[in-house]
Amino acid sequence: MQQLTGHRDEEAVRRFVEHFALTFSDMGVPRMPARVLAALMVSEQAGMTAAQISEWLRVSPAAVSGAVRYLIHVGMAVREPAPGSRRDVYKAAESSTYTSMIRSGIYRRFADMVHEGVEAVGDETSPAGERLAEMRDFFLFVQDEMSAAADRWEKMRAERQRR
């Protein structure tokens, strides 16, 4: 990790945004939503309008529109009305949004869906049923582990904020 200099290097920020987008893209997030999320994360403003995002990323407003719709849908961004304007402001979701996504049981929903497959192929005794049951059990395990991790994160975050 390099030494922090205390000043913002806009060229380094732009490189980071593209690296962030590429990395998230490798993880399955579409590239434009990943770029928009990165732009929201690095913004010194509390939020950005679609026009500001479009200008900063040098992309079309239509690309931003689709990207923010995606980010809002998956809980990675929020939309709020801009005070004194008819425009909306977009913000990266706070970590409490991420932890609430975990607490909502997203992995349990995957497990329930995969369990439908177990039932569809008969049961867990066939090769297909065995594979599906293992996937289901993995998602149940991940749900439990992520819920515990979210609890630890919120405790650590609260302690850090008290300092």
Side-chain angles (χ1 to χ4, degrees):
M1 189 166 255
Q2 74 182 44
Q3 183 75 22
L4 298 177
T5 61
H7 77 282
R8 186 177 172 102
D9 178 342
E10 287 302 323
E11 190 55 41
V13 170
R14 288 191 178 280
R15 283 192 309 271
F16 165 75
V17 166
E18 296 308 322
H19 186 223
F20 182 101
L22 182 62
T23 302
F24 266 48
S25 178
D26 288 346
M27 294 172 18
V29 177
R31 186 83 177 261
M32 187 54 64
R35 289 183 75 209
V36 169
L37 178 60
L40 294 173
M41 296 293 291
V42 302
S43 174
E44 294 296 337
Q45 303 168 20
M48 298 173 75
T49 66
Q52 290 170 320
I53 297 168
S54 175
E55 182 179 328
W56 198 87
L57 290 175
R58 301 176 187 139
V59 298
S60 74
V64 171
S65 176
V68 294
R69 240 185 348 268
Y70 174 88
L71 292 170
I72 290 167
H73 178 73
V74 298
M76 298 179 94
V78 295
R79 179 179 62 206
E80 297 176 356
S85 172
R86 293 185 348 213
R87 294 183 176 183
D88 291 323
V89 172
Y90 301 96
K91 298 178 180 182
E94 296 180 12
S95 70
S96 60
T97 303
Y98 302 137
T99 57
S100 68
M101 284 173 37
I102 291 166
R103 287 205 174 81
S104 75
I106 190 162
Y107 296 106
R108 188 167 314 283
R109 290 198 327 251
F110 282 125
D112 291 345
M113 180 270 304
V114 173
H115 185 72
E116 289 177 27
V118 173
E119 291 176 342
V121 300
D123 61 24
E124 299 177 17
T125 60
S126 71
E130 190 176 319
R131 284 191 300 272
L132 289 164
E134 185 168 328
M135 180 182 275
R136 175 204 58 213
D137 294 346
F138 171 76
F139 283 129
L140 291 171
F141 170 81
V142 169
Q143 179 67 57
D144 291 343
E145 292 296 311
M146 292 297 289
S147 293
D151 290 342
R152 288 191 309 274
W153 163 248
E154 286 182 348
K155 182 180 177 187
M156 184 179 81
R157 184 173 182 243
E159 288 172 3
R160 189 183 321 159
Q161 289 174 342
R162 282 194 290 266
R163 291 183 207 155

